[in-house]
């Protein structure tokens, strides 16, 4: 009896690997094209760190005319949840990052290299495991969980490395006959890789992001096929990324220490190893302590959070590119209007350690992006968000023509308004432009704050200076006049030069008008606001503020 008999006993009726090698052809892509993937487990939660990895992967694939595919890693069936795939697919869709190949909903997929869902690839993994068994590079292990537990306890007591290796790898020692007999006797088993590595030898590895790293060789006989017949992550990774033609494995750096094992698996399977690019996690500053963004503690760790808050997907992506590469910000400054896809991301320039997630910065990026949108775009996105999350805003936006005027204020010019960072800001940002939302209980504090002066300014303005048809220059000149008439400085400069001579200046007079019109001290361009409100409403609001 030999390894062939053993392999046939463990994996009866499984195809030869030649079948799969033949079936999945080498991809026909331009020189230098990067093929990479996003390979999440369908746990029902898409972490922003996962999206970040996917963005990096997709970006480098796109910029090299390569392929970005989605593989569902569902071999740990305990962790799986219902509709987990839908969550992943929708997250990618929301961020306009749908893959070229892979799962497109719970049951369907596109692409020639599938199935892209690991639980459907059982026979493929078994074919490759069988191939290893045939060569004596994998073997059945009959150790029970209790056996492994007591082995571990012994190792810990003796203060030596834990694991299934060397002399500790008990089931390695059985002869083929013994293995076959045990199986025939109905003993349960899993399949382990027989590592040829030695812990006292080093391997040199070049990671595309982390650079050169030295590791001891792997000597652990890891499990490759579990009791349920499905592979472990390590084995599935080697088989899938080989057959799917992955050129670059871009993944979280928690896997960096598994590289020696993975390289060994590729080698023993006779595969050409891919390049690895290990991405540092996104960190958070928690009262001075740097820690990973946590699914349990941080709402912003969930990709859904951004959708619910109404932070545009494109802003999140841009921000993530900022985190990925320090040169992005500069590029953006030099190319304020170019689509982010024109930026070239270089994996080898990515940050080696975890970047800090900064919500303020993200919202700044978002503000800048929204400021460059047309009124029509702002309207469309706000409405889309409101339809899902805010009925009141949805109602406000029903009069599209008026809403476009409101969103059009200070937009489309050199220095557009930058007051909206997310769609959930919109209601508060524009409410004063709607009479039924504009009820003032108290006007905010301002420099000219005594009732008498305010009344006088407003009265004078209504009676003497306001004319709806004035152009902007004329409009502003009149406010200056008014300031002069009230004894305030007509120019800010003048006020600054002689602060003792004046109680206030023209800007403070403008503020009186602004506060009366909007109940805010800070708004976009007041001239435009007045134009959109129209004469009747302007006068009504100014008059109300004199009461
Ligand atoms: N399923 C693995 C994970 O979610 C994938 C790692 C990889 O990209 O290879 O961590």
């Amino acid at each position: 009896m030999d390894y062939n008999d053993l392999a046939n006993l463990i994996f009866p009726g499984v195809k030869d690997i030649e079948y799969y090698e033949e079936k999945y052809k080498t991809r026909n892509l331009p020189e230098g094209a990067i093929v990479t993937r996003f390979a999440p487990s369908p746990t029902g939660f898409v972490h922003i760190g996962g999206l970040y990895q996917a963005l990096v992967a997709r970006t480098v694939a796109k910029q090299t005319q390569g392929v970005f595919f989605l593989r569902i890693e569902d071999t740990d069936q305990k962790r799986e949840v219902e509709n987990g795939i839908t969550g992943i697919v929708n997250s990618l869709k929301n961020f306009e990052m749908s893959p070229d190949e892979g799962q497109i909903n719970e049951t369907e997929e596109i692409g020639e290299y599938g199935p892209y869902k690991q639980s459907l690839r059982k026979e493929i993994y078994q074919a490759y495991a069988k191939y290893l068994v045939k060569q004596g590079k994998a073997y059945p292990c009959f150790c029970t969980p209790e056996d492994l537990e007591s082995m571990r306890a012994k190792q810990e007591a003796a203060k030596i490395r834990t694991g299934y290796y060397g002399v500790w790898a008990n089931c390695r020692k059985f002869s083929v006959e013994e293995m076959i007999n045990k199986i025939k006797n109905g003993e349960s088993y899993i399949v382990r890789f027989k590592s040829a590595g030695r812990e006292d030898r080093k391997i040199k590895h070049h990671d595309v992001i982390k650079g050169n790293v030295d590791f001891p060789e792997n000597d652990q006989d890891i499990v490759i096929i579990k009791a349920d017949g499905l592979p472990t992550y390590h084995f599935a990774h080697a088989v899938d990324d080989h057959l799917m033609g992955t050129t670059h494995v871009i993944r979280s750096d928690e896997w960096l220490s598994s590289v020696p094992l993975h390289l060994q698996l590729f080698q023993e399977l006779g595969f050409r190893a891919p390049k690895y690019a290990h991405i540092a996690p996104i960190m958070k500053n928690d009262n001075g302590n740097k820690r990973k963004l946590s699914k349990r503690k941080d709402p912003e760790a969930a990709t859904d959070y951004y959708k619910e808050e109404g932070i545009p997907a494109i802003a999140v992506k841009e921000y993530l590119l900022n985190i990925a590469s320090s040169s992005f910000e500069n590029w953006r400054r030099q190319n304020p209007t170019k689509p982010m896809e024109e930026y070239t991301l270089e994996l080898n320039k990515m940050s080696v350690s975890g970047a800090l997630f900064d919500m303020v910065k993200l919202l700044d990026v978002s503000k800048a992006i929204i400021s460059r949108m047309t009124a029509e775009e702002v309207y469309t996105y706000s409405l889309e968000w409101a339809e899902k999350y805010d009925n009141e805003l949805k109602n406000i936006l029903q009069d599209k023509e008026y809403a476009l005027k409101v969103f059009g204020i200070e937009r489309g010019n050199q220095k557009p308004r930058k007051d909206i960072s997310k769609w959930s800001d919109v209601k508060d940002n524009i409410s004063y432009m709607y009479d039924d939302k504009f009820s003032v209980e108290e006007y905010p504090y301002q420099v000219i704050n005594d009732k008498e002066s305010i009344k006088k300014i407003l009265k004078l303005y209504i009676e003497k200076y306001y004319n709806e048809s004035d152009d902007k220059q004329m409009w502003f000149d009149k406010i200056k006049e008014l300031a002069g008439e009230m004894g305030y400085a007509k120019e800010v400069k003048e006020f600054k030069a002689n602060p003792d001579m004046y109680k206030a200046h023209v800007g403070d007079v403008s503020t009186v008008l602004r506060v009366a019109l909007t109940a805010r001290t800070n708004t976009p361009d007041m001239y435009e606001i007045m134009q959109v409100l129209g004469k009747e409403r302007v006068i009504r609001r100014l008059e109300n503020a004199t009461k």
Side-chain angles (χ1 to χ4, degrees):
M1 282 197 267
D2 60 12
Y3 288 131
N4 265 320
D5 302 312
L6 180 63
N8 285 329
L9 182 63
I10 300 178
F11 301 111
V14 163
K15 291 190 176 70
D16 282 341
I17 64 164
E18 284 71 32
Y19 170 81
Y20 299 107
E21 294 293 316
E22 176 60 26
K23 177 170 174 191
Y24 300 107
K25 304 259 183 294
T26 308
R27 291 171 182 275
N28 188 9
L29 292 169
E31 174 93 21
I34 289 180
V35 178
T36 189
R37 78 294 191 283
F38 179 38
S41 298
T43 57
F45 183 88
V46 187
H47 195 286
I48 189 75
L51 189 86
Y52 173 53
Q53 288 161 30
L55 175 69
V56 170
R58 188 172 187 276
T59 303
V60 294
K62 291 283 159 200
Q63 70 196 19
T64 56
Q65 280 84 53
V67 177
F68 167 66
F69 66 84
L70 171 65
R71 182 169 70 226
I72 300 298
E73 307 221 321
D74 60 345
T75 58
D76 186 355
Q77 305 208 310
K78 286 193 294 292
R79 291 177 65 209
E80 224 180 307
V81 298
E82 220 177 300
N83 296 327
I85 299 179
T86 307
I88 294 165
V89 169
N90 286 347
S91 273
L92 290 179
K93 207 183 273 165
N94 287 339
F95 285 91
E96 292 179 24
M97 281 168 51
S98 288
D100 303 311
E101 294 174 10
Q103 207 75 22
I104 52 166
N105 55 39
E106 289 294 328
T107 52
E108 288 169 288
E109 60 173 37
I110 48 172
E112 306 279 291
Y113 292 81
Y116 294 88
K117 182 168 148 176
Q118 289 183 327
S119 57
L120 300 176
R121 301 172 63 78
K122 199 165 173 174
E123 286 171 16
I124 306 179
Y125 304 120
Q126 297 198 345
Y128 284 86
K130 183 173 186 178
Y131 171 74
L132 290 181
V133 174
K134 272 189 187 169
Q135 298 169 77
K137 292 178 180 172
Y139 62 92
C141 168
F142 304 92
C143 290
T144 61
E146 294 74 40
D147 294 337
L148 297 176
E149 197 33 61
S150 87
M151 179 182 94
R152 187 188 179 85
K154 277 186 208 149
Q155 290 169 330
E156 277 170 357
K159 295 196 166 44
I160 52 175
R161 267 190 314 129
T162 56
Y164 209 87
Y165 62 94
V167 292
W168 296 95
N170 256 327
C171 294
R172 245 189 199 225
K173 299 168 196 153
F174 296 125
S175 66
V176 172
E177 281 76 18
E178 282 171 312
M179 292 181 195
I180 289 178
N181 284 335
K182 279 174 171 293
I183 293 174
K184 286 195 171 154
N185 285 339
E187 280 190 45
S188 51
Y189 62 95
I190 45 97
V191 180
R192 284 186 188 272
F193 173 58
K194 191 166 175 182
S195 172
R198 273 183 30 195
E199 214 253 344
D200 59 349
R201 282 196 305 235
K202 288 249 181 301
I203 60 157
K204 284 192 185 310
H205 168 67
H206 181 81
D207 188 271
V208 184
I209 295 175
K210 304 274 179 188
N212 291 330
V213 254
D214 285 353
F215 288 111
E217 276 182 11
N218 170 65
D219 65 350
Q220 300 273 348
D221 284 2
I222 59 121
V223 178
I224 55 173
I225 301 287
K226 301 179 291 181
D228 58 7
L230 284 167
T232 52
Y233 165 71
H234 307 292
F235 193 59
H237 152 53
V239 172
D240 290 347
D241 283 315
H242 162 66
L243 291 177
M244 295 176 180
T246 304
T247 62
H248 290 60
V249 171
I250 299 173
R251 63 183 178 188
S252 147
D253 67 3
E254 68 188 293
W255 296 110
L256 182 64
S257 60
S258 302
V259 165
L261 163 64
H262 296 165
L263 291 176
Q264 212 178 31
L265 285 170
F266 274 85
Q267 162 127 23
E268 298 297 348
L269 286 160
F271 303 158
R272 188 176 152 182
K275 289 201 161 75
Y276 287 96
H278 285 96
I279 299 189
I282 300 178
M283 309 296 281
K284 171 156 179 149
N285 188 341
D286 187 356
N287 288 326
N289 288 329
K290 231 174 143 182
R291 61 162 174 80
K292 281 192 202 176
L293 259 191
S294 140
K295 166 178 165 175
R296 270 175 301 110
K297 293 189 205 149
D298 310 311
E300 71 272 29
T303 45
D304 285 346
Y305 168 83
Y306 302 87
K307 193 170 179 218
E308 286 155 19
E309 280 289 296
I311 302 175
I314 177 157
V316 178
K317 286 203 285 186
E318 250 203 67
Y319 176 65
L320 292 177
L321 267 192
N322 257 299
I323 291 192
S325 172
S326 55
S327 72
F328 180 79
E329 199 166 358
N330 221 352
W331 177 86
R332 177 47 87 209
R333 218 171 288 130
Q334 279 157 15
N335 305 282
T337 53
K338 279 192 182 164
M340 61 185 271
E341 286 72 23
E342 286 185 33
Y343 169 76
T344 307
L345 177 65
E346 289 171 89
L347 283 178
N348 57 6
K349 298 221 173 110
M350 276 184 64
S351 138
V352 172
S353 59
L356 271 183
F357 187 87
D358 180 349
M359 189 53 97
V360 175
K361 183 85 195 281
L362 164 56
L363 294 179
D364 270 351
V365 169
S366 186
K367 267 185 197 160
I369 289 178
I370 295 177
S371 79
R372 289 194 298 268
M373 290 182 180
T374 62
E376 182 82 37
E377 283 170 320
V378 174
Y379 176 79
T380 307
Y381 288 125
S382 305
L383 183 62
E384 197 178 282
W385 179 83
E387 275 168 351
K388 238 177 147 175
Y389 301 104
D390 189 340
N391 218 20
E392 196 182 349
L393 177 61
K394 181 182 147 192
N395 291 335
I396 290 179
L397 295 177
Q398 287 315 302
D399 182 349
K400 179 171 177 182
E401 201 183 322
Y402 182 69
L404 286 182
K405 282 190 196 152
V406 172
F407 289 131
I409 293 172
E410 238 187 277
R411 193 168 285 284
N413 53 6
Q414 272 295 313
K415 272 191 80 193
R417 65 194 272 188
K418 273 197 176 168
D419 53 348
I420 304 175
S421 61
K422 45 189 189 220
W423 309 127
S424 52
D425 286 349
V426 166
K427 189 167 70 189
D428 190 47
N429 260 289
I430 63 170
S431 58
Y432 61 82
M433 295 303 288
Y434 291 83
D435 286 347
D436 55 339
K437 306 285 169 222
F438 182 72
S439 63
V440 190
E441 262 124 58
E442 203 181 340
Y443 291 99
Y445 179 82
Q446 44 180 327
V447 173
I448 303 174
N449 209 40
D450 66 293
K451 273 230 152 86
E452 276 319 298
S453 310
I454 292 176
K455 266 190 194 171
K456 230 165 142 185
I457 291 172
L458 295 174
K459 280 218 154 83
L460 259 178
Y461 187 69
I462 299 168
E463 282 157 17
K464 190 163 164 193
Y465 292 103
Y466 175 57
N467 180 350
E468 196 192 12
S469 44
D470 284 345
D471 66 11
K472 191 161 177 184
Q473 189 56 51
M474 181 71 99
W475 168 84
F476 191 57
D477 286 346
K478 285 190 175 169
I479 299 178
K480 279 190 193 170
E481 286 297 305
L482 168 59
E485 185 171 344
M486 294 279 303
Y488 302 125
K490 286 167 85 172
E491 306 284 342
V492 180
K493 261 196 297 198
E494 203 180 307
F495 176 81
K496 284 195 175 146
N498 305 293
D500 298 336
M501 271 179 65
Y502 302 101
K503 282 206 186 117
H505 58 68
V506 58
D508 303 319
V509 174
S510 288
T511 303
V512 171
L513 297 173
R514 189 186 306 274
V515 165
L517 288 168
T518 66
R520 293 167 196 225
T521 51
N522 213 333
T523 68
D525 188 82
M526 184 163 53
Y527 175 75
E528 289 184 52
I529 289 178
M530 287 169 81
Q531 293 289 313
V532 175
L533 285 173
K535 184 173 176 184
E536 200 193 312
R537 288 200 287 168
V538 167
I539 291 191
R540 194 183 333 127
R541 289 185 183 197
L542 296 178
E543 275 175 350
N544 281 342
T546 62
K547 286 175 190 153

